[in-house]
Amino acid sequence: MCYSAQIWADYRKFAKVFGATISIQDFVRLYWERGKGGKAKIPKAMDAAFAEPLTDLQHEIKALIVEFDRAQTGRYEQELFKQRKRLFDAERILLEKTTKKALEEKRIATDKIEWARGKLADLHRSALVADDSRIFPGHYAPVMVWENGARVIKPMRYQCRPEGKPANFDQRFPGTYNARRDNLEGFWKEQFGHSHGIVVVNAFYENVSRHAVEHRELQPDEKEENVVLEFRPEPEQDMLVACLWSRWKGSHGAELLSFAAITDDPPAEIAAVGHDRCIIPIKRHNIDAWLNPDPDHLSAMYAILDDRERPYYEHRLAA
């Protein structure tokens, strides 16, 4: 599975490179719902794309981002105050007597103070770093789709909830951020051949076992240890990752746009370090055919998935 990925988070790059337009109303709705207490996890780099708005709706999005960041700042400052008091109380007790409870309270408070400071620093930081464009399951990303005869960018959650499924589908099927190629006409039959998308990725990350990375057997008294590997294509390139997506509608007007990346058997260099799946980067000349599928000719869709880019994936331990 694609545990996480480094993506294009700026919709303006899609517009410039692919001539795609932005579905601005979908972005407004997403940011409005987040501001009203929604749980949407939006990468900082996606927020940053609205730092210099040009239209009224872009100004509206920027205002929603500013208000959300202000609220988050208040929450983190409250947590910082709470943990500083906790640390002070623990240190006061330790001046009189060393107890296991006071030492634990001091450790927890110190860790949480560092966490809150880090969150505040991230909120106030304007310069972007690589992790600002990294998504995990449940995070949002710009996805290119086909709508009204044109390429369009929509914000979607990376974990697909198919139309018609109950709202608790996410908890029952937490792995639906990936769609296995061998199950496209099974579990994903309502999306495959109907609603295709593309996410631009330049690196992805996978959970693997350390002993597999080190090309050795697990020792009898050794516990299995998980590590995260970063895979980057060589030569360096932006990969057009094939996806499926759905527009889910619930009661009281609730709506969710979400997607899953299609995965297939891995190339040899990924299999060699203990992982059994890989995303599928399609070729640029297949963009429109992929985004505008014919459900009566699925063989053409499989042909696009076969006619994929095949870079060599360099790997390293993720930070």
Side-chain angles (χ1 to χ4, degrees):
M1 290 187 175
C2 185
Y3 159 67
S4 70
Q6 202 90 41
I7 62 161
W8 276 16
D10 189 341
Y11 71 89
R12 295 171 300 184
K13 292 182 72 174
F14 284 91
K16 182 177 180 180
V17 176
F18 299 111
T21 59
I22 179 176
S23 181
I24 190 66
Q25 292 290 357
D26 285 317
F27 278 87
V28 171
R29 178 175 56 81
L30 170 64
Y31 280 101
W32 184 86
E33 289 176 352
R34 184 180 70 165
K36 294 300 180 180
K39 298 180 179 180
K41 298 175 181 178
I42 302 175
K44 186 179 181 71
M46 193 162 147
D47 286 350
F50 296 98
E52 298 179 0
L54 299 176
T55 68
D56 288 345
L57 289 176
Q58 289 177 8
H59 276 282
E60 182 177 344
I61 291 172
K62 181 178 179 179
L64 290 167
I65 292 170
V66 169
E67 182 57 34
F68 179 80
D69 287 350
R70 184 182 296 117
Q72 289 292 93
T73 296
R75 293 187 187 99
Y76 294 137
E77 287 177 343
Q78 288 177 12
E79 180 66 14
L80 197 56
F81 177 82
K82 174 183 174 183
Q83 296 306 323
R84 281 172 173 162
K85 182 180 184 304
R86 186 179 189 178
L87 178 61
F88 174 81
D89 290 342
E91 289 179 334
R92 178 173 50 80
I93 292 171
L94 289 170
L95 286 173
E96 300 175 1
K97 181 181 179 181
T98 300
T99 67
K100 183 181 291 186
K101 180 180 179 181
L103 288 171
E104 183 67 3
E105 285 290 291
K106 180 179 179 180
R107 182 192 64 80
I108 293 172
T110 300
D111 289 347
K112 290 192 173 183
I113 287 171
E114 184 179 354
W115 174 83
R117 284 174 172 166
K119 289 294 186 181
L120 285 168
D122 276 343
L123 271 177
H124 300 149
R125 170 173 53 81
S126 57
L128 296 179
V129 298
D131 276 355
D132 293 332
S133 297
R134 186 173 173 183
I135 63 165
F136 295 83
H139 289 206
Y140 274 75
V143 180
M144 184 161 63
V145 302
W146 191 265
E147 188 173 76
N148 298 323
R151 301 170 181 176
V152 177
I153 307 304
K154 293 179 178 289
M156 297 191 190
R157 189 189 70 179
Y158 181 41
Q159 183 190 4
C160 191
R161 183 192 301 168
E163 181 183 2
K165 301 298 183 183
N168 66 359
F169 180 86
D170 304 339
Q171 290 72 45
R172 292 167 53 206
F173 299 95
T176 53
Y177 49 88
N178 286 167
R180 291 179 62 101
R181 176 182 167 148
D182 55 15
N183 206 12
L184 293 179
E185 294 182 70
F187 186 91
W188 299 100
K189 64 182 179 181
E190 299 299 323
Q191 289 74 45
F192 184 53
H194 299 276
S195 51
H196 292 188
I198 289 173
V199 174
V200 182
V201 170
N202 47 54
F204 61 96
Y205 303 80
E206 303 289 6
N207 285 293
V208 297
S209 298
R210 181 178 291 277
H211 69 278
V213 177
E214 296 174 351
H215 306 294
R216 60 178 178 80
E217 295 296 324
L218 193 66
Q219 298 300 311
D221 59 345
E222 181 185 6
K223 292 184 178 180
E224 189 163 338
E225 180 185 358
N226 178 77
V227 296
V228 178
L229 293 184
E230 176 190 272
F231 292 94
R232 286 190 178 273
E234 181 61 39
E236 185 176 337
Q237 59 192 271
D238 293 315
M239 299 179 289
L240 311 180
V241 175
C243 303
L244 303 176
W245 69 280
S246 186
R247 183 187 295 273
W248 178 90
K249 294 184 178 181
S251 58
H252 308 296
E255 190 171 287
L256 172 69
L257 297 173
S258 58
F259 75 100
I262 298 176
T263 64
D264 201 357
D265 295 333
E269 68 272 18
I270 291 181
V273 291
H275 197 66
D276 64 351
R277 307 300 299 165
C278 184
I279 54 179
I280 302 178
I282 68 171
K283 292 183 177 177
R284 187 164 297 205
H285 64 257
N286 286 324
I287 289 177
D288 289 345
W290 174 254
L291 294 180
N292 190 26
D294 183 346
D296 294 325
H297 293 89
L298 296 181
S299 60
M301 299 300 100
Y302 284 117
I304 290 174
L305 297 178
D306 288 334
D307 182 34
R308 70 188 71 173
E309 299 287 358
R310 297 184 183 274
Y312 181 86
Y313 294 104
E314 297 279 1
H315 74 269
R316 68 179 182 90
L317 287 173

